[in-house]
Every structure is written in structure tokens, then in C-alpha cells.
Amino acid sequence: MTDDELIWRVAGGSGDGIASTSQNFAKALMRSGLNVFTHRHYPSRIRGGHTYTEVRASSEPVRSRGDGYNFLLALGDSFARNPRDGAYYGNEEAKPLAENLDDLREGGVIVYDSGLLDEESVADLDERAEANDWHVFPVDLRTMAREHGREVMRNTAGVACTCAITGIEPETIKSMMRDAMPEKILDANLTVFDEAYEHVQSAFDVDATAVRVPEGDHEEEQVLLSGSDAIAYGAIDEGCRFIAGYPMTPWTEVFTIMSNCLPQLGGVSEQVEDEIAAAALAIGASHMGVKSMSGSSGGGFALMSEPLGLAEMSETPVVLIEAMRAGPSTGMPTKPEQADLEHVLYTSQGDSNRVVFAPGTVAEAYDHARRAFQVAYEYQIPAILLYDQKLGGELVNVPASHFDREPNTDPGSVLTEDQIADAPHDASGKFERFRHDVEDGVSPRSVPGQKGGRHLVTGNEHNAPGHISEDPDNRVAQVDRRSEKLRAIRADLDGDTLNDAYGPEDAEHGVLTFGSQQGTVEEAVDRLNDAGHSVKALTVGELMPYPVEEVRAFLRGVDEALVVEMNASAQFRGLTQKELGTGDDQLASLLKYNGNPFEPAEVVEGFETNIDGDGEVPGNETRFVPAAGD
Amino acid sequence: MSTFTGIGEERASDREEFTPGLEPQPTWCPGCGDFGVLKALKGAMPEVGRTPDETLLVTGIGCSGKLNSYFESYGFHTIHGRSLPVARAAKMANPGVEVVAAGGDGDGYGIGGNHFMHTARENHDMTYIVFNNEIFGLTKGQTSPTSPKGHKSKTQPSGSAKDPIRPLSLALTSGASFVARTAAVNPNQAQRILVEAIEHDGFAHIDFLTQCPTWNKDAKQYVPYVDINDSEDFEFDPTDRAEAQELMRETEDKLYEGEVLTGVYYRDDDRPSYGQEKRAIGEMPDEPLAERYFDTDYEWERSADAFLAKHR
Ligand SMILES: Cc1ncc(C[n+]2csc(CCOP(=O)(O)OP(=O)(O)O)c2C)c(N)n1
Ligand code: SF4
Ligand SMILES: [Mg+2]
């Protein structure tokens, strides 16, 4: 936590334009030279219900949402249900203000829309403000917006108040508005902006507050994008031109982006009847030689289990993505969790034969998507990208140069017609698609339409030309060959792994995590080292095949390691122990499953609990499970 | 000219080419109707001018799903009920390939019923053969979605309490643009209907009555049959949806009364196929997508050039 940062929380109702307001705000700050990171919190509802987005901005790199926040813009919730005494969901009208006070830092600022929010309904606001040295600015944003434009423009008025109080140059926001807003609403918004800006400057003593926007400068051009954007662009740059899917939060984001992009590139996007069909379509298109993907979230991915097994057995390359949300069943659709790890590793019958990657950051989401396609098409194996609502939805700035790469549209281990002509065929002229005697387990394929390439592909066990076979020798040879692919992929990945080590190599303590908790853990590691501890972290991006040697080497020098993950049953720790064959007495767990991702301070506390605490973490948001023998 | 020289060869083919020169010999029981489908399909392919390397036969799971084991072409034996989603994506990926999907009545009308409805609705340019033996063959004779009401089996010991599904009516209401019924006992009609179905530009559904002498002993052998397109007893226009609907209903009922009506019930040659619809709205390329990956001159776009500007 540095003082030199703004963590701005804009709160209101779903449907009140919080998402676009915060996105434009973040982009404007990025353009002004700051590093930004957004965190979304929203209910599974279209209208109303308390929602907020945080924009964290600093001149230093920002890796997580941070701890708490220092500026609250509480807009009205225009869809709030009528408050009644004892209402099940509470007084929704007051929520944008009432629900957000706990995490507001000392000395923080509150701007609220006095046109929609009744201060009286937040009983202890005055006392709490006094106790915490909060600076409260009631502004009738609604009336201001109505007078000069339309009511929805109160978001603009609120952003203008933010500028006036924190010292953001109005032009930073206004030039963004000119880029982002359609002509017909632009002028009114600009007027609302000026009005609110001037009102705050004249009506309040803004210099009395200490929350200021920092100044920053980028060495190179930045772009603002989400994990979902990055996954889509990674797929596109690998030549993926076919996607099939069925909407489900939060995977819908990638599906939507691809559905907009692919037709522009002469590709095909298909929304189909269910996820079984979606996965089967991706397999069908890939069988023809087209680089293809599908995906879903927990429940939809469950429906893909059987097609996933078909891809394994028929050795059809395909990339599936799984955007985790809190489960089981419908769970909490808009809340992140990392509890589908075991589901994705093992679902579908038989010995699983797949690759699973978990990107930790937005930039990595692009890289992992590309590697997933490369591995899938080279090794004819399904590759799954496992991520979650947090990574998919968070917006961060990434150097534009990160995406300045050559596409790779190679369809992988497919033969040309000339090569097919020279390849072995059986006596009836069938191309031997599944030969035993091949390098790295990969038997090159042909695709329908290629002359001389015809063969049979089946989910049954099969022999070289693809005929169903239950011959024991063939069975063993085929199983071994398919397993050999995983060994070869492991060796391939070892040359350039997707795992990220962080902190001093010879540190005394370790933190292990996977996926979207990477930035939070790394920020915690920095703080711990600043506080005099000696800590390093490893974020595992390759979950199958697991990087046993790398994890072992990481753990070798440390006596204990804390495993941080967002689920209740310590699935990642379990996987690590299974893969290493040991670890019981070395690995402790820090778990969180209340629907919110970790904050860095929680990891710091968990770490301290592990090394010298009494086994209890403060607060009830996280759970600590010590290593065996502790 | 296609990048894949297996497609569009200007030469005649013959039924022998579609017969594997080697084992496996069919494992179907003697007298099984499935042989009739295999025979008709082998006869139809040369007639429509297609060769094995440009044909993809996608099947489900069941006795019927073994069809592509005994047919020489590209084949994809998928999983139970899922031949259609695999097949229709294959067609979208490379429209130059002749795609035929096939499976059982359990496979297509039961576990895969949702895909049947949606594939028909989308009107993909492909042929779908359902081997209707009114039984689950491969799993040893359980009641299927087309088994008659009252049908007894080991899993329905008191007889099925359900009315059977109406396959022809279902295809029609779902949107299929070609709907026919034929029977294994009538190989000439079967081949003729298959040719028409394959040549039809849209989703062509054939409910193919295939007797199962092993598990459905009391069921008729689907003789004698009546060809509604030939018979003088039926005054009927298959391009008229209302007439088709009425005759389908009658046909479905009559089957359980022992009268076997067959023929082409419905065809709409004007309805655009799904590929045409997608191309019309700019969502499918004119050139087969699959071939792009093998075209060394194709200039691939990158995300950085196409989409990054809006993130700046
Ligand atoms: C998901 C799934 N459920 C069940 C089965 C078992 N199974 C295989 S074939 C079949 C039914 C076969 O009946 P039908 O589709 O009519 O084909 P037929 O054998 O009669 O040609 C069943 C239930 C399976 N393979 N997969
Ligand atoms: S069980 Fe019936 S359907 Fe299956 S092969 Fe034998 S006769 Fe044909
Ligand atoms: Mg059957």
C-alpha cells in the first residue's frame, strides 16, 4: 500500500452505467501516464442491486486491486427496490453509500449523490466520518445532470467532482469523453462536467483533503484491456477462426468478443443449442483443419465432458476455455472462485489426456492462449485455459508492444497431400492416421478433402487406420502413445515455461499460487520483503502436465510454503502434493471462498499466521489450514 | 479448384470404391436392416458424382453408428447422440466436402434430440440418415423413442407408457427442408431417395426403417410397403407443407397399425441453406475456411492491427 495512489470506487446499481464510466475513467488515467487496475463487483441481476467498480491508479506498477480504497463516488441506484422494514435484501436505496464504508481508508473521500441518496438512512455516517477523518461531499448530481442533460449524466457529474477534489486535469477526462461518446450526447455531458467541477471548487474547500491523483509517465505506449480481450486476441493471432458457444457468465465475455471479431476476419462464430453441441462443433471444425475453440463456465463445461473425452480419444486438437465462478451448481454466477480445478483436470471418463494452463495476468492471458493453441495443434490434444471471473473482467494497462507479434496460423501436425502420398496406407487405401511408431507420440493427420488421406476417427479404441480395435497389444500401444504426448509436451514447456517465479531466489519462505491470484500474491511478497521477511512466490501456470521439477526446485530451499487459492478444499495444494508425491508437512493453505478475491493484506496476514501466528487468521474472510504436523 | 485435390475430381466413381478392400466385415446380425442402408449409400454416392476422399460420414453410437466402419470414405464415429453438431461444423468448415450424418433412433431422436431439432432448424446443407429400428440395438433391445406404446423390454417390463416420437413431423416443424422415409427392404427406393437427399441443398432428413431381427422380433419387416410418391392411392404434393404434415401424421400412426408408408414427404427447394444464410449476413467466408490454412498466399490478419486501436 502506498500513499501515492488513488483507489477510486464508483458504486451504484446494476444498469446505471458503472461499467462504462469506470472503464473510461481508467483509460483516461492510463493515457495521462498512470498504471491502472480495475476490480468489478456486481450481482447476478440486470437491474438494481449493489454494484461497484474500483479503479486503482499509481505511477508504480499495480498488480492487484489493493487493500481498501480511498475515494468513494456513491451514485444513486435507480433500480433499487422499495425499502421496507426488514426487507430480505435490505434497504437497497442506501446501499451505494451504506455498503461501501467498511473498506474506506482513513482520510478518504466520499462524494455522494444527495439527489438520490438520503444521508439520514445511513445512520452513523457522521460519527464514522469523524472517527476516520473522512471528507464527505454531498452533491446533488442528479439535479445537475437533469438541468443540463439527462439523469444518466450524473455519472459524468460524479467524475467531474472526483477531478475537482483529487486534482485530475479536466482535459484528461474531457478528451476521453470526446473519443468515447457519441456526438448527440457529448455536448450535454461536457456541460454537466463543467458545472459539477465548478460547483465543487466553489462550494467546498477541496484543499482540505489529502487524496490526490498521482502523476506518472509511461516509457512506451499502453493499451487497456481485460483478460477476456487478451484470450480472444491470443486465439486470433494463432489463427483461430471458429468458435462455438452457449452464453454463461463469465465465459460469455470471450464468446462475445470473438463473435464480434471473427466475422471481420472471415471467421465463423456459432451460438448453438447447448454446451455439448458447442464443444462438438469445435471438434467438428477442427477435424476439418480449422483452428477452433469453445468454452464455458462451470456448469456448461460439465456438459462438455463427453466431447472433451472424444477429443482426447480421437486426438482432435481443440482449445476449450473455462471461466470459473463460484460453485457448486449455479453457485454465485458473478463471483470469482478457483474451485473448478479438479473438475477441469479430471472430468470425462478414462485416463485424462489433456493440457491445462492457467494464466495469472492479462498479458499472460494472451500468451497462454497462444501456447494453448500451439500445443493443441502440434500434439493433437485438447488444451484448456482455466481462468476466472476476476481475470476475465479486470482491466489493466499493458504495453501495446506486447501484442505486436507475428501470427502463427500453422494447423500443426497435418500432412500435405504430397506427404500423404508417401505415407503408409492400409490395403484398402486408408491412410494410417494412428500409427504406433511415431516421434513424441504424435501421428500426423490428414483432413477430409485431402486426396489419399481418408481414414476413420472414432471415440472407440482403434488401430492405425482408425478401425475399432480391442486387441490388447494395440490398446497398450495406443494408450502409451497418447501418454507419450504429455511427456513430450512437458519437455517442450520446460524450455520456456508459463510459470512465474517472483522475489529473491534464495528466500527462506515461499508462497505458491495459480491463476488470477498472481498479482495479489506478488504484491504481498513485496510488502513482506519490505517488512524484513525473506519470501518468494511461484505462480504455476501449467497445471497439466504439472511442472514437477520446477516446483520441487522452488520448494527445495524453503522450510514451509503457503499455498494461496480461492476455494474451500485446497485443490491446488492437493494437486501439488499428488504430483510431488510429498509435501504434507511443508505446505500450508490460505483459502478464500466468500466470492471476493484476496486482497494483498490478507495474504500478508496469512503468511504471518503461518510462520509465527497462533494458527488463526484475523477476520473471517479467509481460512488458514496449517501443514500436517503443525 | 480446391486446394485439396480430393475435392471436385472430374471423374466417375463406382460402388466398389466405397467398399473397404479389407476387413472389417460388418458385425451386424444376419438379416439386419443396417445392411440395406450401407448398400443404398454405396449406390447413391457414385450417382451423385462423389468420391471417397471428398466424403465425410459422421456417425453416432449404436449398431447403426458402425456404418462408417464398413464404408470407405473419411469417417468420424463420434459419441452417442452427437453426430449432428460434429457434422454441421464440418460442413461449415469446408462446404466442399459432402457431409452425411447417420445414427440410430435412440441416438438421433432421444439423446441427440435437441441437436436434431436445431440442425433441422438451421437447415445445414447435409444429409441425415436415422436408422429407425424402433429399438436400442447395441445395448440389447431396450425400448427406444420410436418403440410403440406398450412395447415391452427388459427396462420396460410392463410395456412403455409413452406414445412414440413422431420423427417426420418433428423434422418438418423443426425446419428440415427435405423429409423422407424409406425402408431397408426397399433398396431401390432407398437409393433413389438418398440421391435426392444428398443433392438437396439443405438439411435432408431420412427416417430409414431398419428391421432388427435380433431384438425386435415381433416387429414387422416393414413389408409390404407403399411408396406414397408412386401409389395411386395418394394424391399429394410434397412441396405443400400442410399436405405433408397431414400425411406424415397418418404415416406415423399407420406404422403402428402395420401399414408401412414411405417416400419423400416434404421438400422446399427455395429455402436457403445455413451456409447461404450466414454468408448473406457476412458471417461466413466465400472460400472454404479449412483451405485457408493450406493456402500459402493467404494474408492473415493480426489482432494488433485489427483490434488494438480501441484499447489505446
Ligand atoms: C452417453 C451414453 N449413454 C449411453 C450409451 C450406451 N448406448 C450405446 S448405443 C445406445 C442406444 C442405441 O440405440 P440406437 O441409437 O437406436 O442405435 P441402434 O443400436 O439401434 O442402431 C446406448 C444407450 C452411450 N454409449 N453413451
Ligand atoms: S442387434 Fe439388431 S440392429 Fe443391431 S446388428 Fe443386430 S439386428 Fe442389427
Ligand atoms: Mg435403434
Side-chain angles (χ1 to χ4, degrees):
Chain A
M1 184 171 16
T2 67
D3 290 333
D4 196 22
E5 66 180 1
L6 173 67
I7 305 184
W8 181 76
R9 180 184 286 194
V10 52
S14 291
D16 276 335
I18 304 282
S20 61
T21 299
S22 57
Q23 181 167 348
N24 288 337
F25 185 72
K27 200 193 260 187
L29 295 184
M30 173 189 83
R31 287 180 177 182
S32 80
L34 293 170
N35 295 306
V36 294
F37 189 103
T38 72
H39 165 69
R40 288 184 305 177
H41 173 102
Y42 62 107
S44 183
R45 267 169 68 178
I46 301 300
R47 293 272 185 253
H50 174 237
T51 170
Y52 66 76
T53 299
E54 283 173 8
V55 178
R56 185 185 189 193
S58 168
S59 57
E60 302 294 315
V62 280
R63 305 164 180 282
S64 78
R65 60 184 286 199
D67 302 306
Y69 66 104
N70 55 14
F71 194 112
L72 171 65
L73 171 60
L75 300 169
D77 179 346
S78 30
F79 305 100
R81 284 170 287 205
N82 280 340
R84 261 186 285 127
D85 280 345
Y88 189 71
Y89 289 106
N91 178 351
E92 293 198 333
E93 277 181 352
K95 279 189 177 182
L97 188 52
E99 292 263 303
N100 289 298
L101 298 175
D102 289 350
D103 297 330
L104 183 60
R105 293 186 198 165
E106 216 163 280
V109 172
I110 299 173
V111 173
Y112 72 90
D113 186 350
S114 56
L116 270 155
L117 283 161
D118 177 12
E119 192 178 328
E120 306 287 291
S121 62
V122 186
D124 49 358
L125 183 62
D126 287 346
E127 294 114 75
R128 292 182 72 180
E130 173 119 20
N132 292 294
D133 188 25
W134 292 336
H135 300 257
V136 184
F137 296 77
V139 184
D140 190 348
L141 304 173
R142 171 159 79 161
T143 304
M144 234 174 247
R146 270 191 188 157
E147 257 169 37
H148 301 281
R150 285 184 299 141
E151 187 163 328
V152 289
M153 295 177 191
R154 60 179 195 265
N155 294 20
T156 300
V159 171
C161 299
T162 308
C163 293
I165 296 165
T166 63
I168 297 170
E169 251 325 294
E171 192 47 35
T172 305
I173 303 292
K174 285 159 108 181
S175 75
M176 183 69 227
M177 285 164 66
R178 282 184 212 106
D179 285 357
M181 286 181 174
E183 194 87 43
K184 62 178 196 293
I185 59 162
L186 179 64
D187 279 348
N189 269 290
L190 289 171
T191 311
V192 169
F193 185 97
D194 288 338
E195 193 72 21
Y197 189 84
E198 278 152 30
H199 169 76
V200 170
Q201 287 216 313
S202 60
F204 299 96
D205 175 14
V206 295
D207 293 332
T209 70
V211 178
R212 287 278 175 282
V213 71
E215 273 179 34
D217 201 7
H218 291 131
E219 275 168 19
E220 55 172 314
E221 195 196 9
Q222 304 288 311
V223 285
L224 184 74
L225 69 182
S226 68
S228 295
D229 292 318
I231 289 171
Y233 296 162
I236 285 167
D237 287 347
E238 284 298 313
C240 172
R241 292 295 183 272
F242 187 96
I243 191 168
Y246 187 87
M248 185 166 191
T249 302
W251 119 273
T252 307
E253 285 175 350
V254 170
F255 186 33
T256 306
I257 297 163
M258 290 297 277
S259 300
N260 283 307
C261 293
L262 282 187
Q264 299 178 48
L265 306 174
V268 174
S269 169
E270 273 290 289
Q271 181 178 319
V272 296
E273 59 271 28
D274 59 34
E275 288 87 350
I276 308 176
L281 262 92
I283 290 168
S286 186
H287 180 68
M288 305 303 278
V290 174
K291 293 174 102 171
S292 307
M293 69 185 287
S294 182
S296 192
S297 293
F301 195 81
L303 290 183
M304 294 184 171
S305 283
E306 218 197 348
L308 170 61
L310 175 66
E312 294 180 326
M313 189 55 145
S314 66
E315 300 185 67
T316 309
V318 70
V319 172
L320 301 176
I321 68 175
E322 215 265 46
M324 292 179 281
R325 60 192 223 183
S329 191
T330 310
M332 298 198 283
T334 60
K335 300 288 186 280
E337 201 167 82
Q338 295 180 300
D340 292 352
L341 173 59
E342 290 176 345
H343 174 50
V344 161
L345 289 173
Y346 308 122
T347 187
S348 202
Q349 63 272 33
D351 290 314
S352 65
N353 186 248
R354 69 197 64 166
V355 171
V356 181
F357 294 155
T361 65
V362 170
E364 261 190 18
Y366 174 83
D367 303 340
H368 282 223
R370 294 201 62 162
R371 282 297 274 281
F373 272 94
Q374 287 158 17
V375 171
Y377 281 80
E378 204 45 54
Y379 293 92
Q380 308 174 357
I381 196 167
I384 301 166
L385 216 56
L386 181 65
Y387 67 112
D388 57 44
Q389 185 269 359
K390 173 185 182 306
L391 179 62
E394 66 199 15
L395 290 162
V396 298
N397 58 297
V398 179
S401 61
H402 187 78
F403 304 95
D404 187 13
R405 308 221 215 135
E406 282 313 302
N408 165 41
T409 58
D410 182 9
S413 45
V414 184
L415 298 182
T416 62
E417 290 192 335
D418 288 341
Q419 290 169 322
I420 291 169
D422 293 336
H425 287 67
D426 79 359
S428 92
K430 271 198 168 66
F431 164 65
E432 297 195 341
R433 159 79 180 86
F434 303 100
R435 291 180 61 83
H436 301 164
D437 56 337
V438 290
E439 209 178 314
D440 291 338
V442 179
S443 188
R445 60 184 185 132
S446 60
V447 298
Q450 282 183 314
K451 196 173 170 80
R454 65 177 185 276
H455 61 273
L456 187 61
V457 162
T458 167
N460 290 56
E461 189 57 274
H462 44 270
N463 61 17
H467 281 298
I468 296 169
S469 166
E470 294 184 351
D471 173 75
D473 292 339
N474 174 72
R475 163 69 178 175
V476 171
Q478 295 288 23
V479 171
D480 289 349
R481 185 180 57 73
R482 292 190 293 266
S483 311
E484 171 64 12
K485 295 196 290 186
L486 280 174
R487 192 210 50 77
I489 293 167
R490 183 65 264 152
D492 195 341
L493 291 168
D494 281 340
D496 177 16
T497 75
L498 297 171
N499 312 307
D500 300 303
Y502 189 80
E505 220 174 285
D506 56 355
E508 285 167 39
H509 300 284
V511 181
L512 266 183
T513 192
F514 82 99
S516 67
Q517 300 314 294
Q518 174 169 4
T520 310
V521 163
E522 290 178 354
E523 190 166 336
V525 164
D526 282 346
R527 285 190 211 169
L528 287 164
N529 285 323
D530 286 348
H533 291 289
S534 168
V535 195
K536 61 180 179 178
L538 181 67
T539 306
V540 176
E542 301 155 353
L543 298 165
M544 178 104 87
Y546 193 86
V548 174
E549 288 313 318
E550 195 175 345
V551 175
R552 212 170 255 155
F554 174 84
L555 291 173
R556 205 164 284 138
V558 303
D559 28 307
E560 275 203 359
L562 184 67
V563 187
V564 177
E565 56 190 307
M566 282 193 292
N567 61 57
S569 55
Q571 298 182 19
F572 176 59
R573 183 175 81 161
L575 172 68
T576 302
Q577 290 180 183
K578 176 185 159 205
E579 292 285 350
L580 300 189
T582 61
D584 260 27
D585 46 2
Q586 199 183 10
L587 303 179
S589 274
L590 186 67
L591 307 170
K592 189 170 181 182
Y593 45 88
N594 70 351
N596 295 310
F598 281 100
E599 293 181 16
E602 291 172 331
V603 178
V604 168
E605 283 162 2
F607 176 86
E608 287 172 341
T609 301
N610 188 32
I611 60 166
D612 53 27
D614 55 3
E616 292 282 330
V617 278
N620 59 0
E621 303 258 304
T622 64
R623 193 158 73 84
F624 175 71
V625 185
D630 263 32
Chain B
M1 204 25 215
S2 169
T3 316
F4 299 154
T5 65
I7 298 174
E9 278 185 277
E10 296 288 325
R11 66 172 181 87
S13 60
D14 60 39
R15 83 166 34 241
E16 284 316 304
E17 281 185 61
F18 293 94
T19 307
L22 197 69
E23 293 276 4
Q25 298 312 315
T27 52
W28 293 318
C29 310
C32 172
D34 295 6
F35 286 103
V37 183
L38 180 62
K39 181 160 183 263
L41 189 61
K42 283 182 186 172
M45 291 315 295
E47 232 186 285
V48 299
R50 290 296 206 167
T51 60
D53 281 335
E54 61 181 338
T55 302
L56 176 66
L57 180 55
V58 185
T59 60
I61 300 296
C63 295
S64 44
K66 301 274 165 64
L67 182 69
N68 48 14
S69 290
Y70 317 133
F71 183 82
E72 189 68 27
S73 74
Y74 278 95
F76 201 147
H77 180 228
T78 65
I79 44 179
H80 197 30
R82 317 301 168 198
S83 67
L84 287 176
V86 170
R88 73 197 212 224
K91 188 68 188 182
M92 283 189 269
N94 195 345
V97 170
E98 189 64 61
V99 176
V100 177
D105 46 322
D107 191 270
Y109 304 145
I111 192 166
N114 198 22
H115 307 312
F116 176 54
M117 203 163 83
H118 285 272
T119 311
R121 160 195 173 215
E122 292 169 5
N123 198 34
H124 292 267
D125 182 12
M126 54 183 277
T127 305
Y128 182 40
I129 306 168
V130 180
F131 294 52
N132 184 0
N133 54 10
E134 303 175 64
I135 202 92
F136 280 8
L138 190 65
T139 45
K140 302 192 186 250
Q142 299 84 356
T143 306
S144 93
T146 50
S147 301
K149 191 171 185 177
H151 177 266
K152 283 192 183 174
S153 71
K154 286 183 186 150
T155 52
Q156 305 268 275
S158 316
S160 166
K162 303 174 192 187
D163 272 330
I165 222 154
R166 296 177 173 276
L168 306 174
S169 305
L170 182 61
L172 184 73
T173 37
S174 299
S177 54
F178 182 102
V179 186
R181 170 173 273 178
T182 184
V185 289
N186 187 358
N188 295 335
Q189 184 207 38
Q191 181 169 328
R192 198 191 74 229
I193 286 181
L194 264 171
V195 168
E196 280 183 48
I198 295 167
E199 285 178 339
H200 173 74
D201 297 328
F203 186 70
H205 165 233
I206 302 172
D207 184 77
F208 208 125
L209 297 170
T210 49
Q211 70 282 2
C212 171
T214 303
W215 302 111
N216 216 359
K217 286 199 177 61
D218 10 310
K220 44 271 133 194
Q221 296 288 306
Y222 307 119
V223 274
Y225 52 85
V226 177
D227 185 331
I228 54 152
N229 305 115
D230 276 354
S231 161
E232 304 205 331
D233 297 342
F234 294 90
E235 188 74 35
F236 145 82
D237 172 10
T239 64
D240 184 315
R241 172 176 284 269
E243 286 186 20
Q245 200 158 347
E246 201 172 315
L247 193 51
M248 283 176 179
R249 222 188 143 76
E250 186 182 333
T251 298
E252 288 154 351
D253 290 336
K254 287 259 165 74
L255 183 68
Y256 301 108
E257 294 158 16
E259 192 177 335
V260 183
L261 304 184
T262 61
V264 175
Y265 285 77
Y266 182 67
R267 62 182 307 154
D268 177 354
D269 294 322
D270 297 329
R271 183 173 170 207
S273 71
Y274 192 62
Q276 289 171 316
E277 299 276 20
K278 282 280 260 195
R279 276 188 284 272
I281 57 167
E283 286 203 347
M284 196 187 281
D286 290 331
E287 299 300 321
L289 193 46
E291 298 192 1
R292 190 182 300 175
Y293 295 84
F294 302 84
D295 173 358
T296 43
D297 295 333
Y298 190 83
E299 304 228 353
W300 291 86
E301 299 88 343
R302 329 183 288 160
S303 65
D305 304 325
F307 306 114
L308 219 52
K310 61 174 177 276
H311 299 281
R312 289 178 205 276

